[in-house]
Amino acid sequence: MSSDNPIDGGSTDMLTDTRDARMGEGLDDRFNSRLREALGSSPFILTKFDKFMNWVRGSSMFMLQFGIACCSIEMIHTYAIKHDLDRFHAGVPRASPRQADVIIVPGTIVSKFAPRMKRVYDQMPEPKFVVGMGSCTISGGPFQEGYNVIKGAEEVIPVDIHVPGCPPRPEALVYGVAKLQERIANGESSPVVVKPYELEQFGDMERDEVVDKLADQIDEETLAMRYNWADSP
Amino acid sequence: MSVEETEETPEIEAGVTVEDEVLDTLGDTVQTTEEHLNADASVVVRPDQVQDTLSALRDDMGYDHLSCVTAQEYEDRYESIYHMKQYDDPTQEVSVVVPASKDEPISQSAEPVFRTADWHEREAYDLVGINYEDHPDPRRILLPETWQGHPLGQDYDQDSPQIVTLSEWDNPLRDDHVDDEADTMFLNIGPHHPATHGVLHVKTVLDGETVADVDPDIGYLHRCEEQMCQNGTYRHQIMPYPDRWDYVSAGILNEWAYARAAEDLADIEVPEYAQVIRTMSAELCRIAAHMLALGTFALDVFGDFTATFQYAFRDREVIQNILEDLTGQRMMFNYFRLGGVAWDLPEPREEFFEKTRDFLEELPAKLEEYHDLITGNEIFQLRCVDTGILEPEVAKSYGATGPVARASGIDYDLRRDDPYGYYDELDWDVVTEDGCDNFSRVIVRMQEVEESAKIIEQCVDLLEEWPEDDRTIQSNVPRTLKPDADAETYRAVEAAKGELGIYIRSDGTDKPGRFKIRSPCFSNLQTLGEMSEGEYIPDLIASLGSLDIVLGEVDR
């Protein structure tokens, strides 16, 4: 690329010439980007806005910097050198739940911590996603029989992806996060409007009744997103 | 044995033993004596004479380290056991047993004598249900305030529902700090906070930018480790749990604590070859744990998420690879067995040795790099030198051990003072610093890494030349271990954070009757108030980082 005297007396000829020379003749490849290459010659992408947003969400996840127990050490290793979760568009730990999209729950949840964790989760903006890391977030793991241990993260907050292991290796967590991204990008993991822990007050009803009852409460006009029960995986 | 057995002082035999001296010093306060495998003397005293007994033992006989307080419930009584040691010579041990009646479990608090008893007795109240008279702060410590019952007591029903609330916290100093000049602010640090190294909740009261009051609120990771161990059989089911106490890859050090106590209890020999492997793997763990302490401390004091932190984790990866070759796991090793280790070094051995040697060879240059990045850094020095002062006498009163004590000039290291494993055959030094500040604590850890490297190198040399026909990795241990009923022992090892002790009482079955963990972090964390009250809030964060606590071990 010529850089001897690129701008001379307001004429842009030289710049245009250089660019044309670089692009070669024929295609009007104004952006010369790899994305453009993949899409062919059309300058437009036609897609649904939802689909586009899903793709964006999956490709740019801000994780919550949230350590509980043993698994958090492996989680830090996943963020750090060698495993480097950032390679998968998911490596920026945010210290505040208000800036985070994804919460990885890395460890045993005990009675005293459960309300705190729910509070942290509640502070995250929608849409939010949860990765349960380790056996403790699945069932309580090795501490399941403890008097103080919550039998899994799902008792407190909804979980999108479970990564089993005690603790899971960093590779396993990377796989779990990649799976979550895949699900988000395909629109399979939708923003949850009805939270499972709120269902407790309807505990004695059949599931369908619960859905009907909650659906009645939703104001159609102000509803921005709807969770599609019928199509949900 | 039971309390009513005898009320009079037992006869003093000829030849002055430690027990005689203790009985001499204590005089009539001693009701009777017991047999504890670890202690030279175990005396039973009345519940209203705890303070007199402990101060006599401390002032007259030099037992200045209240290592642990174990509480337990029997069929006919409650019991608190105060495990006393000497900082100069931790092999000198005395257990003070304090029975309390079943209907009214009230016992005098030892807090006025040893500050560390504060939290230990709160834990005893919380989990077992003994009330301590004169205790300055008789609240629950690990479980939520609303908890019903005492889970390690005998008639506790685990299936009964519990209600846990999330309440807003009041400013505990609000009333006595209200005037026009001073204006205090209450600040919650944690339980979800990047600088608390896990789920610690520090209730802080600030006066301007100065810390007026600190109250560490723990229990957010209380995973019932003691209950889990009491429900497991000695031989196989307990060993996986120690890995999860101090979970920053320090698992093997914790396993050793359990192995040492159980081997002492059941009288199991460990082959020499296995001891060398144990020593080597334990020191690898210590390096990994100290690397994490270093990296997260750099993160705390200058938000260095890039260089130091990542370097520390790069080096940890190398260690974890070596340990994975050895044990098959990156973190939760489960490698020790009672009477030895699970398996021999991986084949081909040369490759393993080479890998370990490569790591040791590169280590000095890496440490040099850390010194350039951290200890030579002016910002770091400003943050750390002369902040978070912990005087040696205060540290002793709080039962501080490990790098925290050694940075306050207390020359106390169980690897040398109460030798186990292969440490006394090897050539290495105990690191101490006299600075008493945050900087010293970091320096001690970095120098300990060098000492650990020395130990590993010698172990590798030994293992390389070890004759092939003498590589016994486990001694013969019965499939089901049933130590004698009522055998009691308290054994400690030097874990990454300090003295990690285990008290086991056998009840004659293949599971422990009582399994108590003395965690170094639990005692070390208590010093936080001493270190940070009256200081600025950034110094509080630096002090907390330099204590290097792991919540899994604080809460258990």
Side-chain angles (χ1 to χ4, degrees), chain B residues 431-477:
Chain B
V431 181
T432 55
E433 285 282 330
D434 293 325
C436 308
D437 55 2
N438 294 335
F439 194 71
S440 304
R441 287 188 270 279
V442 175
I443 290 286
V444 163
R445 288 203 185 91
M446 289 182 73
Q447 289 176 350
E448 273 184 18
V449 168
E450 289 172 33
E451 296 299 325
S452 297
K454 269 202 253 170
I455 297 175
I456 298 168
E457 197 163 11
Q458 294 171 53
C459 289
V460 170
D461 288 344
L462 282 167
L463 289 172
E464 225 168 8
E465 286 154 20
W466 208 273
E468 208 169 337
D469 49 359
D470 189 25
R471 290 181 190 159
T472 322
I473 51 159
Q474 262 184 54
S475 56
N476 253 335
V477 181

Side-chain angles (χ1 to χ4, degrees), chain B residues 329-485:
Chain B
Q329 268 275 22
R330 282 169 57 89
M331 279 174 63
M332 303 305 173
F333 309 108
N334 192 14
Y335 179 57
F336 279 21
R337 296 287 179 270
L338 298 186
V341 294
W343 43 70
D344 201 350
L345 301 178
E347 293 288 348
R349 291 162 68 94
E350 294 73 31
E351 208 172 279
F352 178 77
F353 292 134
E354 201 187 320
K355 209 169 172 181
T356 315
R357 279 191 201 284
D358 282 350
F359 166 68
L360 294 175
E361 256 164 45
E362 287 166 17
L363 195 62
K366 285 175 176 169
L367 284 171
E368 200 57 39
E369 204 172 8
Y370 286 122
H371 277 295
D372 283 348
L373 278 166
I374 306 179
T375 52
N377 184 325
E378 277 179 40
I379 304 171
F380 184 84
Q381 290 172 2
L382 280 172
R383 289 287 306 270
C384 298
V385 175
D386 279 340
T387 60
I389 300 286
L390 184 66
E391 296 296 339
E393 284 314 308
V394 179
K396 282 184 180 177
S397 177
Y398 276 107
T401 48
V404 176
R406 288 194 285 274
S408 291
I410 301 170
D411 194 8
Y412 181 79
D413 190 322
L414 292 175
R415 288 175 290 170
R416 179 201 59 198
D417 298 336
D418 183 10
Y420 56 95
Y422 214 68
Y423 288 111
D424 48 350
E425 310 278 329
L426 303 174
D427 176 31
W428 59 284
D429 296 313
V430 176
V431 181
T432 55
E433 285 282 330
D434 293 325
C436 308
D437 55 2
N438 294 335
F439 194 71
S440 304
R441 287 188 270 279
V442 175
I443 290 286
V444 163
R445 288 203 185 91
M446 289 182 73
Q447 289 176 350
E448 273 184 18
V449 168
E450 289 172 33
E451 296 299 325
S452 297
K454 269 202 253 170
I455 297 175
I456 298 168
E457 197 163 11
Q458 294 171 53
C459 289
V460 170
D461 288 344
L462 282 167
L463 289 172
E464 225 168 8
E465 286 154 20
W466 208 273
E468 208 169 337
D469 49 359
D470 189 25
R471 290 181 190 159
T472 322
I473 51 159
Q474 262 184 54
S475 56
N476 253 335
V477 181
R479 187 168 289 271
T480 311
L481 274 184
K482 285 185 182 173
D484 302 335

Side-chain angles (χ1 to χ4, degrees), chain B residues 90-287:
Chain B
T91 50
Q92 300 285 321
E93 290 181 62
V94 169
S95 305
V96 178
V97 182
V98 187
S101 76
K102 194 89 177 172
D103 316 323
E104 258 190 298
I106 298 175
S107 179
Q108 194 179 36
S109 168
E111 199 273 341
V113 188
F114 287 99
R115 305 283 293 277
T116 184
D118 181 353
W119 279 22
H120 282 283
E121 286 174 350
R122 274 177 71 187
E123 189 196 318
Y125 162 71
D126 193 355
L127 299 186
V128 183
I130 302 175
N131 291 304
Y132 291 91
E133 232 172 8
D134 302 338
H135 193 282
D137 190 14
R139 285 180 294 148
R140 285 185 180 272
I141 187 166
L142 295 175
L143 294 170
E145 279 294 311
T146 50
W147 202 263
Q148 301 295 310
H150 302 280
L152 294 185
Q154 285 194 328
D155 52 357
Y156 180 72
D157 174 19
Q158 194 178 320
D159 297 328
S160 65
Q162 301 279 353
I163 294 169
V164 179
T165 57
L166 176 64
S167 55
E168 301 297 329
W169 299 101
D170 282 333
N171 180 344
L173 291 189
R174 191 171 42 200
D175 293 332
D176 48 332
H177 267 61
V178 176
D179 59 54
D180 296 336
E181 303 288 311
D183 189 14
T184 61
M185 182 179 97
F186 179 68
L187 181 69
N188 272 317
I189 306 176
H192 164 233
H193 188 280
T196 55
H197 295 206
V199 283
L200 172 67
H201 178 201
V202 186
K203 292 189 258 178
T204 319
V205 181
L206 300 180
D207 188 351
E209 217 185 327
T210 313
V211 177
D213 184 55
V214 170
D215 181 11
D217 177 24
I218 62 173
Y220 292 97
L221 195 52
H222 175 54
R223 301 191 278 195
C224 333
E225 301 271 14
E226 289 174 9
Q227 183 204 23
M228 292 293 111
C229 292
Q230 277 165 214
N231 290 347
T233 55
Y234 290 103
R235 184 86 162 86
H236 297 296
Q237 292 177 348
I238 295 177
M239 198 55 96
Y241 285 100
D243 286 320
R244 290 158 179 85
W245 302 339
D246 177 357
Y247 47 68
V248 294
S249 295
I252 286 181
L253 295 153
N254 307 351
E255 287 172 22
W256 208 337
Y258 168 63
R260 190 172 189 208
E263 281 158 9
D264 189 44
L265 194 73
D267 204 13
I268 298 169
E269 288 293 319
V270 181
E272 207 173 340
Y273 181 69
Q275 292 284 28
V276 181
I277 298 181
R278 281 182 171 193
T279 310
M280 180 190 67
S281 52
E283 292 307 312
L284 280 167
C285 281
R286 192 182 310 274
I287 295 183

Side-chain angles (χ1 to χ4, degrees), chain A residues 13-209:
Chain A
D13 284 356
M14 193 174 284
L15 272 178
T16 318
D17 289 349
T18 319
R19 196 172 58 209
D20 288 349
R22 197 176 66 233
M23 287 190 303
E25 289 178 27
L27 284 173
D28 180 18
D29 192 352
R30 271 174 294 177
F31 302 108
N32 197 25
S33 69
R34 288 178 57 205
L35 181 68
R36 186 63 200 280
E37 217 166 274
L39 291 168
S41 58
S42 163
F44 302 106
I45 307 168
L46 282 178
T47 180
K48 282 191 275 186
F49 187 68
D50 276 2
K51 203 169 176 186
F52 175 69
M53 283 309 291
N54 284 337
W55 174 75
V56 169
R57 269 176 200 133
S59 308
S60 162
M61 299 201 302
F62 280 14
M63 322 298 268
L64 182 64
Q65 187 178 345
F66 183 68
I68 303 179
C70 334
C71 285
S72 56
I73 304 295
E74 282 296 61
M75 187 183 74
I76 298 170
H77 274 278
T78 317
Y79 287 133
I81 279 182
K82 184 172 173 188
H83 300 288
D84 193 11
L85 193 57
D86 209 2
R87 293 176 298 163
F88 304 94
H89 335 292
V92 192
R94 314 305 296 192
S96 163
R98 293 189 175 83
Q99 301 167 344
D101 304 319
V102 181
I103 175 175
I104 299 179
V105 184
T108 321
I109 303 147
V110 303
S111 67
K112 202 168 170 181
F113 192 64
R116 307 287 172 147
M117 189 177 75
K118 177 176 169 295
R119 192 163 181 178
V120 169
Y121 174 80
D122 287 348
Q123 287 174 4
M124 290 167 59
E126 298 265 3
K128 49 194 168 186
F129 307 98
V130 182
V131 177
M133 185 180 180
S135 307
C136 291
T137 60
I138 295 172
S139 66
F143 306 99
Q144 204 212 14
E145 286 167 18
Y147 49 82
N148 194 28
V149 175
I150 305 289
K151 278 66 177 163
E154 207 120 45
E155 306 258 321
V156 188
I157 59 176
V159 179
D160 292 288
I161 297 278
H162 288 292
V163 183
C166 190
R169 298 176 62 92
E171 294 90 329
L173 183 60
V174 170
Y175 181 74
V177 170
K179 274 283 165 197
L180 177 66
Q181 288 174 327
E182 199 182 304
R183 287 188 61 182
I184 296 172
N186 292 336
E188 286 170 21
S189 185
S190 308
V192 178
V193 178
V194 181
K195 302 183 181 81
Y197 57 80
E198 287 173 0
L199 291 177
E200 276 170 27
Q201 54 184 305
F202 308 103
D204 52 346
M205 293 189 202
E206 289 293 310
R207 180 108 178 151
D208 288 345
E209 279 182 79

